[in-house]
């Protein structure tokens, strides 16, 4: 089969192809790279289609979608994924018709192309040996597209006119034919034909009928060679143009160059005048060299020396100019230069920098002991450098969150259709940057939240009108920086949470006691409990009572963040997720209990106070302490972590804030702030209570990083358990 | 020689746990190190004895004796940690992980031929038979050939069990709001 023939229909049985298996072994890495690229292109295709729904007249977006699809086809063909290439080819053909204005853009069409995108994703997965793609589905889509194309081609002229009136092609003034592409035509009639002046004029008239014809260069006097240079804007095929020429001249020298602004095409490199003439056979390489060596104005010399006629030079110049312009336009479109680096390499880099920071702090400690000023200077320099390097490396891993947001447009579009609701997704702060690892883990929780908003939050258009709101609901997804954190909110303008219903449900599920006294916020927090769902009916969207608890545990457990919920009856619900900027390195507070070292996340530390034995006795060893006119509970780390050793008379209490809960941690001594490179405790200890990781101190000792939320919850549940006995 | 014995014949690293000899296949051991400062992870089962800093990496350590149900043993100068490399599957990705095994002392490397490896007795060893690959004959002694991957996979199950408890506790916390 055309194992390498991009865009050809894939044959059923390959006799001796450069098959996927072979490539897999030879270039598994290459396939991986291409696969990533294709995935990105498919995302691009999807997002442009969704934009297209908003503004169907914008032909630039059609162009973007087309280019993405075209590159998918090319890339897939390149690595021998012929199913994908062939399917993409069919879709591309249909999309091309839209691009050329032959058929109008309907909602149905966008739907089909969106389905094609899904199918392509499936095909890609199955080509890589993950899952099966349904060939029938592909055929269905292609059939659907073909039907749409044939149906609307009857009204093609209308469609073309429609797109024309909405100014589909800015920058091409005065065309009246729904122009698709421009051709540069270089034509040298055969001597027999050149004498028939009348024929030539007839010919140019015919060309004029195909589209808008601009004659750049025509023979004026009899002495000149009869060279024609023309610019033709037409939506006819190339063959139609050739036919016109064939009609009048059976042996012309004719070259037709497409000037359509397709940046995905391989552009010929910038060509010098000499090269163009050489290629046309107007000059021999030797003569060209001759002239070049004289270095006069090149075209002039050629004419003066009677090597090439003025007309030929002018014609070549005209072509050169056009090509230059075409290149310029396309260059402007190319995006800023980026390098694709595997995440693995970046992770490794972060690890290395982490180790560098550890070594550096060890050096600083040694320098302090040695008390040698020159050494200390050098160490200080190193300290600055490594701090800068750390920030740099972390910045490289930062990605704008917008990439994640775009994924949800499709989700909202499809779900709102399914649920019969009109919903618009508004995104803000797409440029907010977050660590890649955080973004990766954020996707699922956000999907849950958006689904919830769509299903439970936003009402049906009728209900909304009855409530005096616009029929179209809005879900706002926004991200913003706040200090060392990023706040992400999912807000809807739907009916809001029903506190009474949540309470009822929580009581019937045994999550809270029937006589529990809960204020508003506490009630809303109940929806994060496992097994809670207040949707009356279980739909395939939500209502199974899983979801919100997963959201909470993912964000608190994996992302070390916090979730808060606010709601107002009839006005909507807002869920706010607060996340740390990075998971790799944090500012920590190093503390000690006997010989054991612990690190607290500095961002959550409020204050350090002393607490003496008398203070403890004053409260009869009840673990509470007055702070800021408030009685706050405390946890003694020595007891919680069962650290051996004797309790000192004067202890330190570090007041921390977690999720609006303020409490104290009582420990032996506070060492100071510490740049904490987070190291996972590993698979064995992933459920260690009250600990979120570890770090290596300058001394080489391993210190444990405290998970404040974990300590609070464990201490709370232990005390509850003890009191129930 | 049956197929199984053929697979099992190889070089083994022998070590001592409470005066009894055990062995693991040499290729699974990356290195043997002295016990440096062990940082204890609180609130975990006693056989999970802590983590060490191995050239900038935090490596968890398992007390193999306690894990196999033996009595606690105080550390001596001979106590050392075998660093083994295991493969862990997490979210579909296989990752290599280093783990430390606390042993009372490490002896030497032995060639044990396939024909000298006996099948695991169904009972009598008082060790979970899943943890044993076979019984290696060396002179007039038998050495228990341990299945490191199985021991650590068992650890994975224990961890999962803990996770379930975690969920229960979350409910407790919800109750606490009442």
């Amino acid at each position: 089969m055309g194992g390498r023939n991009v865009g050809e229909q894939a044959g059923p049985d390959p006799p001796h192809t450069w098959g996927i298996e072979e490539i897999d072994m030879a270039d598994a890495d290459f396939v991986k790279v291409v696969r990533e690229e294709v995935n990105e292109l498919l995302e691009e295709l999807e997002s442009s289609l969704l934009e297209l729904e908003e503004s169907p007249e914008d032909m630039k977006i059609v162009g973007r979608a087309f280019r993405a699809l075209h590159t998918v086809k090319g890339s897939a063909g390149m690595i021998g994924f012929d199913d994908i290439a062939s399917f993409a080819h069919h879709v591309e053909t249909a999309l091309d018709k839209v691009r050329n204005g032959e058929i109008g853009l309907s909602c149905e069409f966008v739907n089909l192309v969106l389905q094609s995108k899904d199918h392509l994703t499936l095909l890609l997965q199955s080509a890589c040996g993950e899952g099966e793609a349904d060939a029938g589905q592909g055929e269905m889509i292609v059939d659907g597209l073909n039907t749409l194309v044939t149906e609307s081609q009857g009204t093609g002229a209308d469609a073309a006119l429609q797109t024309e009136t909405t100014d589909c092609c800015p920058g091409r003034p005065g065309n009246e034919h729904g122009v698709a592409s421009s051709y540069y035509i270089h034509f040298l009639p055969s001597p027999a034909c050149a004498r028939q002046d009348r024929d030539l004029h007839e010919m140019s008239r015919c060309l004029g009928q195909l589209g808008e014809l601009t004659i750049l260069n025509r023979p004026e006097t009899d002495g000149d060679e009869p060279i024609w240079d023309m610019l033709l804007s037409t939506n006819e095929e190339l063959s139609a143009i050739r036919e016109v020429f064939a009609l009048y001249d059976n042996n012309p020298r004719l070259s037709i160059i497409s000037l359509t602004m397709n940046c995905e095409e391989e552009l010929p490199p910038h060509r010098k005048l000499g090269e163009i003439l050489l290629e046309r056979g107007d000059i021999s390489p030797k003569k060209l060299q001759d002239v070049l060596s004289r270095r006069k104005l090149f075209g002039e010399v050629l004419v003066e020396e009677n090597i090439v006629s003025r007309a030929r030079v002018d014609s070549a110049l005209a072509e050169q100019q056009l090509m230059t312009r075409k290149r310029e336009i396309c260059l402007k479109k190319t995006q800023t230069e980026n390098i694709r680096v595997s995440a693995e390499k970046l992770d490794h880099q972060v690890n290395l920098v982490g180790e560098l920071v550890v070594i550096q702090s060890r050096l600083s400690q040694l320098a302090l002991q040695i008390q040698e000023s020159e050494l200390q200077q050098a160490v200080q320099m190193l300290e600055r450098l490594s701090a800068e390097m750390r920030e740099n490396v972390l910045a490289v891993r930062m990605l704008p969150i917008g990439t994640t947001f775009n994924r949800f447009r499709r989700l909202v579009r499809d779900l709102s259709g399914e649920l019969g609701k009109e919903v618009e997704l508004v995104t803000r702060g797409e440029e907010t940057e977050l660590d890649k690892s955080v973004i990766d883990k954020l996707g699922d929780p956000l999907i849950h939240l958006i689904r919830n908003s769509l299903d439970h939050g936003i009402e049906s258009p009728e209900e909304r009108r009855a409530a005096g709101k616009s029929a179209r609901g809005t879900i706002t997804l926004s991200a913003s920086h706040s200090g060392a954190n990023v706040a992400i909110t999912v807000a809807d303008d739907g009916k809001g949470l029903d506190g009474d219903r949540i309470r009822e449900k929580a009581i019937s599920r045994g999550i809270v006691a029937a006589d529990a006294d809960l204020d508003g916020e506490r009630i809303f927090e109940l929806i994060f409990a496992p097994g809670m769902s207040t949707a009356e009916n279980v739909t395939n969207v939500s209502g199974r009572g899983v979801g919100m608890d997963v959201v909470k545990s993912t964000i608190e457990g994996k992302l070390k963040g916090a979730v808060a919920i606010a709601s107002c009856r009839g006005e909507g619900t807002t869920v706010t997720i607060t996340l740390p900027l990075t998971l790799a390195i944090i500012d920590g507070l190093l503390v000690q209990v006997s010989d054991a070292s612990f690190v607290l996340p500095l961002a959550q530390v409020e204050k350090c106070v002393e607490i003496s034995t008398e203070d403890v006795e004053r409260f009869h060893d009840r673990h509470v302490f007055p702070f800021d006119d408030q009685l706050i509970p405390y946890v003694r780390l020595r007891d919680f972590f069962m650290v051996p050793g004797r309790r000192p008379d004067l202890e330190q209490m570090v007041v921390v804030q977690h999720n609006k809960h303020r409490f104290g941690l009582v420990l032996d001594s506070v060492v100071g702030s510490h740049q904490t490179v987070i190291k996972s405790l590993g698979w064995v200890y992933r459920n260690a209570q009250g600990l979120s990781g570890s770090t290596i101190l300058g001394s080489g000792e391993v210190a444990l990083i405290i998970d404040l939320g974990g300590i609070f919850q464990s201490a709370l549940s232990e005390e509850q358990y003890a009191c129930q006995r | 020689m049956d197929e199984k014995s053929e697979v099992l014949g190889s070089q083994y690293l022998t070590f001592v746990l409470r005066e009894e000899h055990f062995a693991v296949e040499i290729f699974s051991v990356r290195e043997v190190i002295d016990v440096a400062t062990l940082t204890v992870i609180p609130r975990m089962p006693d056989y999970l004895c802590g983590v060490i800093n191995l050239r900038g990496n935090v490596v968890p350590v398992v007390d193999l004796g306690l894990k196999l149900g033996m009595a606690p043993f105080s550390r001596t100068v001979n106590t050392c940690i075998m660093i083994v490399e295991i493969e862990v599957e997490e979210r579909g990705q296989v990752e290599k992980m280093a783990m430390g095994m606390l042993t009372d002392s490490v002896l030497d490397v032995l060639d044990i031929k396939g024909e000298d490896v006996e099948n695991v007795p169904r009972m009598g060893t008082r060790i979970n038979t899943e943890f044993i690959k076979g019984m290696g004959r060396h002179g007039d002694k038998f050495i228990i050939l341990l299945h490191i991957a199985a021991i650590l996979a068992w650890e994975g199950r224990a961890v999962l069990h803990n996770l379930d408890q975690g969920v229960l506790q979350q409910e407790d916390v919800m109750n606490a709001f009442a």
Side-chain angles (χ1 to χ4, degrees), chain B residues 123-164:
Chain B
M123 52 180 276
T125 58
R126 279 173 293 117
I127 292 176
N128 187 335
T129 48
E130 280 181 45
F131 295 171
I132 307 176
K133 268 195 171 166
M135 307 292 280
R137 194 202 316 266
H138 181 65
D140 56 350
K141 278 191 288 189
F142 268 105
I143 298 171
I144 295 180
L145 309 179
L146 288 177
H147 194 333
I148 289 294
I151 294 175
L152 297 174
W154 196 259
E155 201 45 53
R157 256 178 266 177
V159 169
L160 274 179
H161 178 65
N162 284 352
L163 197 70
D164 294 338

Side-chain angles (χ1 to χ4, degrees), chain A residues 398-399 429 431-435 478-488 579-581:
Chain A
M398 294 292 192
L399 288 178
E431 70 289 345
T432 310
E433 288 190 330
L434 260 175
D435 193 275
S478 62
S480 62
H481 283 287
S482 64
N485 290 316
V486 169
I488 295 161
L579 296 171
L581 270 180

Side-chain angles (χ1 to χ4, degrees), chain A residues 511 516 518 522 525-526 529 640-642 679 681 683-689 691 694 696 700 702 704 718 720, chain B residues 39-44 48-51 53 56 58 60-61 86 88 97 99 152 156 159 163 169 174-175 177:
Chain A
I511 293 167
L518 299 172
R522 287 271 166 83
E525 274 179 39
L526 286 174
F640 186 82
F641 285 137
M642 295 169 280
K679 304 256 177 189
L681 274 175
W683 157 76
V684 175
Y685 291 114
R686 63 181 162 188
N687 294 309
Q689 281 175 329
L691 296 172
S694 62
I696 296 174
V702 179
L704 303 174
E718 271 161 33
Q720 293 283 326
Chain B
T39 301
V40 179
I41 309 287
R43 303 167 79 98
M44 293 302 271
L48 294 176
C49 54
V51 291
N53 167 16
V58 175
V61 180
I86 52 161
V88 182
M97 264 193 59
M99 271 205 71
L152 297 174
V159 169
L163 197 70
Q169 278 166 8
M174 294 318 298
N175 285 334
F177 283 131

Side-chain angles (χ1 to χ4, degrees), chain A residues 558 680 682-683 686, chain B residues 87-95 97:
Chain A
K558 286 190 192 151
S680 152
W683 157 76
R686 63 181 162 188
Chain B
E87 284 183 345
V88 182
E89 200 182 310
E90 205 171 3
R91 275 175 284 133
Q93 283 182 326
V94 178
E95 268 181 73
M97 264 193 59

Side-chain angles (χ1 to χ4, degrees), chain A residues 281-345:
Chain A
D282 291 341
I283 183 174
S284 74
K286 195 171 167 297
K287 281 203 176 126
L288 181 71
Q289 278 304 316
D290 256 15
V291 178
L292 273 177
S293 61
R294 270 174 257 166
R295 300 303 275 172
K296 268 174 116 183
L297 191 57
F298 189 47
E300 289 302 314
V301 176
L302 288 174
V303 177
E304 266 171 40
E305 302 284 316
N306 273 333
I307 297 164
V308 188
S309 72
R310 157 95 45 195
R312 281 179 191 244
V313 172
D314 284 350
S315 150
L317 274 173
E319 181 181 338
Q320 190 190 29
Q321 245 168 27
L322 271 166
M323 295 313 285
T324 315
R325 249 193 52 212
K326 186 180 171 184
R327 282 176 59 83
E328 270 170 14
I329 293 170
C330 286
L331 275 179
K332 254 181 239 161
K333 284 188 185 173
T334 10
Q335 290 179 342
T336 47
E337 198 178 323
N338 286 320
I339 305 174
R340 192 182 292 265
V341 183
S342 74
E344 216 173 294
K345 278 188 190 166

Side-chain angles (χ1 to χ4, degrees), chain A residues 281-470:
Chain A
D282 291 341
I283 183 174
S284 74
K286 195 171 167 297
K287 281 203 176 126
L288 181 71
Q289 278 304 316
D290 256 15
V291 178
L292 273 177
S293 61
R294 270 174 257 166
R295 300 303 275 172
K296 268 174 116 183
L297 191 57
F298 189 47
E300 289 302 314
V301 176
L302 288 174
V303 177
E304 266 171 40
E305 302 284 316
N306 273 333
I307 297 164
V308 188
S309 72
R310 157 95 45 195
R312 281 179 191 244
V313 172
D314 284 350
S315 150
L317 274 173
E319 181 181 338
Q320 190 190 29
Q321 245 168 27
L322 271 166
M323 295 313 285
T324 315
R325 249 193 52 212
K326 186 180 171 184
R327 282 176 59 83
E328 270 170 14
I329 293 170
C330 286
L331 275 179
K332 254 181 239 161
K333 284 188 185 173
T334 10
Q335 290 179 342
T336 47
E337 198 178 323
N338 286 320
I339 305 174
R340 192 182 292 265
V341 183
S342 74
E344 216 173 294
K345 278 188 190 166
L346 284 182
D347 289 345
H348 186 58
Q349 207 175 2
V350 169
N351 282 342
L352 283 179
V353 169
E355 268 160 53
L356 186 78
V357 170
V358 170
I359 295 285
Q360 173 259 311
S361 60
R362 174 141 181 70
L363 263 180
S364 305
Q365 219 174 44
L366 284 174
L368 270 180
Q369 284 166 17
I370 292 173
Q371 293 286 341
E372 163 81 44
S373 71
E374 270 184 51
L375 176 69
Q376 277 182 353
Q377 263 175 16
V379 165
Q380 271 171 11
M381 295 262 278
L382 181 71
E383 215 174 297
R384 264 208 304 279
L385 266 178
S386 56
E388 199 176 315
M389 178 140 178
R390 195 201 77 179
E391 265 165 36
N392 235 307
V393 167
L394 290 180
V396 169
R397 280 164 56 96
M398 294 292 192
L399 288 178
I401 199 167
T403 45
T404 314
F405 283 2
N406 283 337
R407 279 169 48 194
F408 303 129
R409 294 199 176 277
R410 176 77 186 277
L411 179 82
V412 169
R413 175 192 181 276
D414 289 357
L415 277 185
S416 54
E418 224 170 273
L419 297 166
K421 294 176 181 178
E422 288 174 39
V423 182
E424 185 186 7
L425 181 72
V426 177
T427 56
R428 288 201 198 105
E430 288 98 333
E431 70 289 345
T432 310
E433 288 190 330
L434 260 175
D435 193 275
K436 192 190 158 296
S437 55
V438 180
I439 289 191
D440 288 348
K441 288 175 193 145
L442 196 60
D444 286 348
L446 283 180
I447 284 179
H448 276 302
L449 291 175
I450 291 174
R451 282 187 166 182
N452 268 319
S453 281
L454 265 167
D455 203 18
H456 311 316
I458 307 271
E459 314 91 325
S460 65
E462 300 79 50
E463 279 175 62
R464 288 184 67 88
R465 269 190 224 103
K469 299 191 216 178
S470 70

Side-chain angles (χ1 to χ4, degrees), chain A residues 28-60:
Chain A
D29 284 348
F30 180 59
V31 171
K32 208 174 125 198
V33 169
V34 173
R35 188 182 171 188
E36 273 168 26
E37 187 187 304
V38 169
N39 267 329
E40 262 172 41
L41 287 164
L42 288 176
E43 296 288 314
E44 159 81 12
L45 173 67
E46 186 179 275
S47 69
S48 41
L49 284 169
L50 294 173
E51 268 179 56
L52 207 54
E53 267 193 326
E54 301 290 313
S55 47
E57 291 90 18
D58 195 338
M59 281 297 147
K60 274 188 227 149

